[in-house]
Amino acid sequence: MKTVTVWYDNACPLCRREIAIMRRLDTRKRIDFVAIGGDGPDQCPIDRDTLLARFHARENGRMLSGAAAFAAMWRAIPLLRPLGLAARSPWVLGVLERAYRQFLTVRPRLQKWVGGPS
């Protein structure tokens, strides 16, 4: 049974690589990975640009973004579950969110380094 839905930027080489790793780690197949962008039709539950600006996931019917979305995905993956559970602490989630916001500032350069513009 799928417990988490994750939307990712299919046009982003960095995102595709990360999702490929998460798919391999999702040994229990609890995550529904939905590609946004690229050649296929989009299945966006919210505005497409908003969805692509930050990482989004839905866990137990609740839409999450940023570090909270990563934490939801991690909770569904046995190997990463302890980190996802730790992120339920407001303090830990706050630290992860600040790190995620910093990552967003370098994401365009990383995308080019990994495999082209997005």
PDB file of all heavy atoms in Angstrom, residues 67-68 74 83 86-87 89-103:
ATOM      1  N   ALA A  67      11.599  20.557   3.564  1.00  0.00           N
ATOM      2  CA  ALA A  67      12.159  19.528   4.437  1.00  0.00           C
ATOM      3  C   ALA A  67      11.081  18.589   4.973  1.00  0.00           C
ATOM      4  O   ALA A  67      11.320  17.391   5.126  1.00  0.00           O
ATOM      5  CB  ALA A  67      12.914  20.182   5.596  1.00  0.00           C
ATOM      6  N   ALA A  68       9.895  19.110   5.226  1.00  0.00           N
ATOM      7  CA  ALA A  68       8.804  18.257   5.722  1.00  0.00           C
ATOM      8  C   ALA A  68       8.430  17.195   4.689  1.00  0.00           C
ATOM      9  O   ALA A  68       8.112  16.062   5.040  1.00  0.00           O
ATOM     10  CB  ALA A  68       7.593  19.109   6.088  1.00  0.00           C
ATOM     11  N   TRP A  74      11.286  10.024   3.643  1.00  0.00           N
ATOM     12  CA  TRP A  74      12.240   9.220   4.419  1.00  0.00           C
ATOM     13  C   TRP A  74      11.520   8.256   5.353  1.00  0.00           C
ATOM     14  O   TRP A  74      11.982   7.135   5.549  1.00  0.00           O
ATOM     15  CB  TRP A  74      13.169  10.123   5.219  1.00  0.00           C
ATOM     16  CG  TRP A  74      14.038  11.020   4.383  1.00  0.00           C
ATOM     17  CD1 TRP A  74      14.427  10.827   3.084  1.00  0.00           C
ATOM     18  CD2 TRP A  74      14.604  12.256   4.789  1.00  0.00           C
ATOM     19  NE1 TRP A  74      15.211  11.881   2.663  1.00  0.00           N
ATOM     20  CE2 TRP A  74      15.340  12.770   3.683  1.00  0.00           C
ATOM     21  CE3 TRP A  74      14.568  12.991   5.966  1.00  0.00           C
ATOM     22  CZ2 TRP A  74      16.025  13.978   3.750  1.00  0.00           C
ATOM     23  CZ3 TRP A  74      15.258  14.196   6.026  1.00  0.00           C
ATOM     24  CH2 TRP A  74      15.984  14.669   4.936  1.00  0.00           C
ATOM     25  N   LEU A  83      15.736   9.040  10.351  1.00  0.00           N
ATOM     26  CA  LEU A  83      15.889  10.472  10.065  1.00  0.00           C
ATOM     27  C   LEU A  83      14.520  11.126   9.880  1.00  0.00           C
ATOM     28  O   LEU A  83      14.266  12.224  10.377  1.00  0.00           O
ATOM     29  CB  LEU A  83      16.758  10.676   8.825  1.00  0.00           C
ATOM     30  CG  LEU A  83      17.048  12.115   8.421  1.00  0.00           C
ATOM     31  CD1 LEU A  83      17.713  12.894   9.557  1.00  0.00           C
ATOM     32  CD2 LEU A  83      17.930  12.138   7.183  1.00  0.00           C
ATOM     33  N   ALA A  86      12.959  11.515  13.264  1.00  0.00           N
ATOM     34  CA  ALA A  86      13.618  12.605  13.999  1.00  0.00           C
ATOM     35  C   ALA A  86      13.095  13.961  13.531  1.00  0.00           C
ATOM     36  O   ALA A  86      12.971  14.897  14.325  1.00  0.00           O
ATOM     37  CB  ALA A  86      15.131  12.521  13.820  1.00  0.00           C
ATOM     38  N   ALA A  87      12.754  14.057  12.252  1.00  0.00           N
ATOM     39  CA  ALA A  87      12.269  15.323  11.689  1.00  0.00           C
ATOM     40  C   ALA A  87      10.875  15.685  12.192  1.00  0.00           C
ATOM     41  O   ALA A  87      10.378  16.778  11.913  1.00  0.00           O
ATOM     42  CB  ALA A  87      12.288  15.261  10.166  1.00  0.00           C
ATOM     43  N   SER A  89      10.401  16.269  15.187  1.00  0.00           N
ATOM     44  CA  SER A  89      10.751  17.281  16.179  1.00  0.00           C
ATOM     45  C   SER A  89      10.814  18.643  15.474  1.00  0.00           C
ATOM     46  O   SER A  89      11.492  18.776  14.448  1.00  0.00           O
ATOM     47  CB  SER A  89      12.120  16.971  16.790  1.00  0.00           C
ATOM     48  OG  SER A  89      12.696  18.127  17.351  1.00  0.00           O
ATOM     49  N   PRO A  90      10.126  19.646  15.998  1.00  0.00           N
ATOM     50  CA  PRO A  90      10.172  20.977  15.367  1.00  0.00           C
ATOM     51  C   PRO A  90      11.595  21.509  15.240  1.00  0.00           C
ATOM     52  O   PRO A  90      11.926  22.151  14.244  1.00  0.00           O
ATOM     53  CB  PRO A  90       9.337  21.854  16.301  1.00  0.00           C
ATOM     54  CG  PRO A  90       8.441  20.906  17.018  1.00  0.00           C
ATOM     55  CD  PRO A  90       9.219  19.622  17.153  1.00  0.00           C
ATOM     56  N   TRP A  91      12.440  21.220  16.217  1.00  0.00           N
ATOM     57  CA  TRP A  91      13.814  21.704  16.169  1.00  0.00           C
ATOM     58  C   TRP A  91      14.575  21.058  15.006  1.00  0.00           C
ATOM     59  O   TRP A  91      15.239  21.733  14.224  1.00  0.00           O
ATOM     60  CB  TRP A  91      14.516  21.406  17.496  1.00  0.00           C
ATOM     61  CG  TRP A  91      15.905  21.933  17.534  1.00  0.00           C
ATOM     62  CD1 TRP A  91      16.292  23.202  17.857  1.00  0.00           C
ATOM     63  CD2 TRP A  91      17.105  21.227  17.195  1.00  0.00           C
ATOM     64  NE1 TRP A  91      17.654  23.327  17.750  1.00  0.00           N
ATOM     65  CE2 TRP A  91      18.182  22.118  17.343  1.00  0.00           C
ATOM     66  CE3 TRP A  91      17.365  19.927  16.779  1.00  0.00           C
ATOM     67  CZ2 TRP A  91      19.491  21.752  17.094  1.00  0.00           C
ATOM     68  CZ3 TRP A  91      18.679  19.563  16.523  1.00  0.00           C
ATOM     69  CH2 TRP A  91      19.727  20.474  16.690  1.00  0.00           C
ATOM     70  N   VAL A  92      14.483  19.743  14.898  1.00  0.00           N
ATOM     71  CA  VAL A  92      15.177  19.024  13.817  1.00  0.00           C
ATOM     72  C   VAL A  92      14.625  19.467  12.466  1.00  0.00           C
ATOM     73  O   VAL A  92      15.384  19.742  11.533  1.00  0.00           O
ATOM     74  CB  VAL A  92      15.055  17.492  13.989  1.00  0.00           C
ATOM     75  CG1 VAL A  92      15.617  16.751  12.782  1.00  0.00           C
ATOM     76  CG2 VAL A  92      15.755  17.043  15.270  1.00  0.00           C
ATOM     77  N   LEU A  93      13.305  19.556  12.339  1.00  0.00           N
ATOM     78  CA  LEU A  93      12.705  19.981  11.072  1.00  0.00           C
ATOM     79  C   LEU A  93      13.142  21.396  10.715  1.00  0.00           C
ATOM     80  O   LEU A  93      13.413  21.689   9.553  1.00  0.00           O
ATOM     81  CB  LEU A  93      11.177  19.884  11.139  1.00  0.00           C
ATOM     82  CG  LEU A  93      10.460  20.128   9.823  1.00  0.00           C
ATOM     83  CD1 LEU A  93      10.905  19.139   8.750  1.00  0.00           C
ATOM     84  CD2 LEU A  93       8.954  20.056  10.030  1.00  0.00           C
ATOM     85  N   GLY A  94      13.265  22.261  11.711  1.00  0.00           N
ATOM     86  CA  GLY A  94      13.729  23.630  11.460  1.00  0.00           C
ATOM     87  C   GLY A  94      15.138  23.657  10.896  1.00  0.00           C
ATOM     88  O   GLY A  94      15.434  24.401   9.949  1.00  0.00           O
ATOM     89  N   VAL A  95      16.016  22.841  11.459  1.00  0.00           N
ATOM     90  CA  VAL A  95      17.395  22.752  10.962  1.00  0.00           C
ATOM     91  C   VAL A  95      17.398  22.225   9.525  1.00  0.00           C
ATOM     92  O   VAL A  95      18.085  22.760   8.641  1.00  0.00           O
ATOM     93  CB  VAL A  95      18.260  21.864  11.882  1.00  0.00           C
ATOM     94  CG1 VAL A  95      19.607  21.547  11.239  1.00  0.00           C
ATOM     95  CG2 VAL A  95      18.447  22.526  13.238  1.00  0.00           C
ATOM     96  N   LEU A  96      16.623  21.177   9.280  1.00  0.00           N
ATOM     97  CA  LEU A  96      16.551  20.600   7.927  1.00  0.00           C
ATOM     98  C   LEU A  96      15.970  21.598   6.933  1.00  0.00           C
ATOM     99  O   LEU A  96      16.428  21.684   5.783  1.00  0.00           O
ATOM    100  CB  LEU A  96      15.727  19.312   7.941  1.00  0.00           C
ATOM    101  CG  LEU A  96      16.360  18.120   8.647  1.00  0.00           C
ATOM    102  CD1 LEU A  96      15.351  16.986   8.791  1.00  0.00           C
ATOM    103  CD2 LEU A  96      17.608  17.655   7.915  1.00  0.00           C
ATOM    104  N   GLU A  97      14.968  22.358   7.343  1.00  0.00           N
ATOM    105  CA  GLU A  97      14.360  23.350   6.442  1.00  0.00           C
ATOM    106  C   GLU A  97      15.359  24.453   6.098  1.00  0.00           C
ATOM    107  O   GLU A  97      15.441  24.878   4.947  1.00  0.00           O
ATOM    108  CB  GLU A  97      13.092  23.947   7.063  1.00  0.00           C
ATOM    109  CG  GLU A  97      12.396  24.976   6.189  1.00  0.00           C
ATOM    110  CD  GLU A  97      11.862  24.447   4.860  1.00  0.00           C
ATOM    111  OE1 GLU A  97      11.559  23.241   4.740  1.00  0.00           O
ATOM    112  OE2 GLU A  97      11.739  25.268   3.913  1.00  0.00           O
ATOM    113  N   ARG A  98      16.134  24.904   7.074  1.00  0.00           N
ATOM    114  CA  ARG A  98      17.152  25.919   6.778  1.00  0.00           C
ATOM    115  C   ARG A  98      18.183  25.373   5.801  1.00  0.00           C
ATOM    116  O   ARG A  98      18.596  26.058   4.871  1.00  0.00           O
ATOM    117  CB  ARG A  98      17.814  26.412   8.066  1.00  0.00           C
ATOM    118  CG  ARG A  98      16.937  27.394   8.830  1.00  0.00           C
ATOM    119  CD  ARG A  98      17.669  28.072   9.985  1.00  0.00           C
ATOM    120  NE  ARG A  98      18.075  27.171  11.062  1.00  0.00           N
ATOM    121  CZ  ARG A  98      17.251  26.671  11.986  1.00  0.00           C
ATOM    122  NH1 ARG A  98      15.983  26.982  11.970  1.00  0.00           N
ATOM    123  NH2 ARG A  98      17.714  25.873  12.927  1.00  0.00           N
ATOM    124  N   ALA A  99      18.587  24.120   5.991  1.00  0.00           N
ATOM    125  CA  ALA A  99      19.542  23.493   5.067  1.00  0.00           C
ATOM    126  C   ALA A  99      18.929  23.363   3.675  1.00  0.00           C
ATOM    127  O   ALA A  99      19.603  23.598   2.665  1.00  0.00           O
ATOM    128  CB  ALA A  99      19.969  22.125   5.598  1.00  0.00           C
ATOM    129  N   TYR A 100      17.648  23.007   3.618  1.00  0.00           N
ATOM    130  CA  TYR A 100      16.977  22.872   2.326  1.00  0.00           C
ATOM    131  C   TYR A 100      16.917  24.223   1.602  1.00  0.00           C
ATOM    132  O   TYR A 100      17.168  24.298   0.399  1.00  0.00           O
ATOM    133  CB  TYR A 100      15.563  22.310   2.518  1.00  0.00           C
ATOM    134  CG  TYR A 100      14.796  22.182   1.222  1.00  0.00           C
ATOM    135  CD1 TYR A 100      15.160  21.236   0.270  1.00  0.00           C
ATOM    136  CD2 TYR A 100      13.741  23.029   0.933  1.00  0.00           C
ATOM    137  CE1 TYR A 100      14.479  21.131  -0.929  1.00  0.00           C
ATOM    138  CE2 TYR A 100      13.048  22.927  -0.259  1.00  0.00           C
ATOM    139  CZ  TYR A 100      13.422  21.976  -1.188  1.00  0.00           C
ATOM    140  OH  TYR A 100      12.749  21.884  -2.378  1.00  0.00           O
ATOM    141  N   ARG A 101      16.608  25.280   2.323  1.00  0.00           N
ATOM    142  CA  ARG A 101      16.565  26.619   1.701  1.00  0.00           C
ATOM    143  C   ARG A 101      17.930  27.020   1.172  1.00  0.00           C
ATOM    144  O   ARG A 101      18.032  27.645   0.124  1.00  0.00           O
ATOM    145  CB  ARG A 101      16.026  27.643   2.684  1.00  0.00           C
ATOM    146  CG  ARG A 101      14.547  27.477   2.922  1.00  0.00           C
ATOM    147  CD  ARG A 101      14.031  28.469   3.928  1.00  0.00           C
ATOM    148  NE  ARG A 101      12.665  28.146   4.272  1.00  0.00           N
ATOM    149  CZ  ARG A 101      11.734  29.037   4.485  1.00  0.00           C
ATOM    150  NH1 ARG A 101      12.012  30.319   4.380  1.00  0.00           N
ATOM    151  NH2 ARG A 101      10.515  28.662   4.797  1.00  0.00           N
ATOM    152  N   GLN A 102      18.993  26.672   1.894  1.00  0.00           N
ATOM    153  CA  GLN A 102      20.344  26.930   1.404  1.00  0.00           C
ATOM    154  C   GLN A 102      20.605  26.123   0.130  1.00  0.00           C
ATOM    155  O   GLN A 102      21.186  26.639  -0.825  1.00  0.00           O
ATOM    156  CB  GLN A 102      21.385  26.582   2.476  1.00  0.00           C
ATOM    157  CG  GLN A 102      21.456  27.576   3.588  1.00  0.00           C
ATOM    158  CD  GLN A 102      21.964  28.911   3.097  1.00  0.00           C
ATOM    159  OE1 GLN A 102      21.178  29.797   2.782  1.00  0.00           O
ATOM    160  NE2 GLN A 102      23.248  29.063   3.018  1.00  0.00           N
ATOM    161  N   PHE A 103      20.179  24.869   0.130  1.00  0.00           N
ATOM    162  CA  PHE A 103      20.336  24.019  -1.050  1.00  0.00           C
ATOM    163  C   PHE A 103      19.650  24.650  -2.263  1.00  0.00           C
ATOM    164  O   PHE A 103      20.187  24.625  -3.375  1.00  0.00           O
ATOM    165  CB  PHE A 103      19.765  22.621  -0.790  1.00  0.00           C
ATOM    166  CG  PHE A 103      19.502  21.842  -2.040  1.00  0.00           C
ATOM    167  CD1 PHE A 103      20.544  21.249  -2.734  1.00  0.00           C
ATOM    168  CD2 PHE A 103      18.218  21.733  -2.554  1.00  0.00           C
ATOM    169  CE1 PHE A 103      20.305  20.543  -3.912  1.00  0.00           C
ATOM    170  CE2 PHE A 103      17.976  21.039  -3.718  1.00  0.00           C
ATOM    171  CZ  PHE A 103      19.024  20.442  -4.404  1.00  0.00           C
TER     172      PHE A 103
END
